[in-house]
Amino acid sequence: MEPESFFHVAVKTDDLDASEAFYRDHFDAEVVERGDAGDGQGATAVDHVALDVADKLVYLFDEAPYEAAGLVDSVPTGFLHFGYVVADVGAAHERLTAAGVGFVMEPTTFGDLKIAFLTAPSGVRIELIEHLR
């Protein structure tokens, strides 16, 4: 599998407003997206803010998507995962599963994205992201 690009880093915070202000005030971040848990279900039932910092995105979540979907126990605040854009999440999932890679969350539609989460060695979570056209 060849990722097309590095997309984002995700952080779980217990105070979205304070975290957003920190990145805006100290890293010149610009808000590019907001999401409300009440607008989603399962993995999409999360409050989040996406910030453009330098040339990458930082996503701030109140819960990780895989946490909100009940696929893992509650995770602590701090680093959650990083994400790579791939051409086809389903194909990447099939190839990696066949190679013995474990997934935390199977391919799921998340707004205008198809996403899946896998676990790398040492418990690092990686998100695969496909932009739906």
Side-chain angles (χ1 to χ4, degrees):
M1 177 190 65
E2 291 186 30
E4 295 176 358
S5 62
F6 184 85
F7 190 67
H8 74 272
V9 171
V11 176
K12 180 178 176 180
T13 177
D14 53 11
D15 188 335
L16 282 173
D17 293 334
S19 295
E20 175 190 331
F22 174 85
Y23 286 97
R24 276 189 294 106
D25 295 347
H26 301 295
F27 290 90
D28 200 28
E30 181 179 324
V31 174
V32 295
E33 177 184 315
R34 289 184 193 281
D36 185 276
D39 295 335
Q41 295 179 352
T44 63
V46 294
D47 290 328
H48 71 277
V49 177
L51 303 165
D52 187 2
V53 181
D55 66 340
K56 299 294 180 249
L57 295 175
V58 174
Y59 274 81
L60 304 173
F61 287 100
D62 68 335
E63 283 188 292
Y66 37 87
E67 183 181 16
L71 301 172
V72 300
D73 291 333
S74 180
V75 295
T77 57
F79 174 77
L80 290 173
H81 61 265
F82 56 90
Y84 288 113
V85 175
V86 297
D88 184 333
V89 166
H93 174 262
E94 287 178 20
R95 187 172 333 142
L96 291 166
T97 300
V101 174
F103 275 74
V104 175
M105 190 166 90
E106 303 293 315
T108 303
T109 300
F110 191 94
D112 61 351
L113 305 173
K114 182 175 277 187
I115 62 174
F117 290 91
L118 61 102
T119 303
S122 300
V124 173
R125 291 195 176 104
I126 299 171
E127 181 179 11
L128 303 179
I129 304 155
E130 175 185 347
H131 292 277
L132 301 174
R133 316 256 188 261

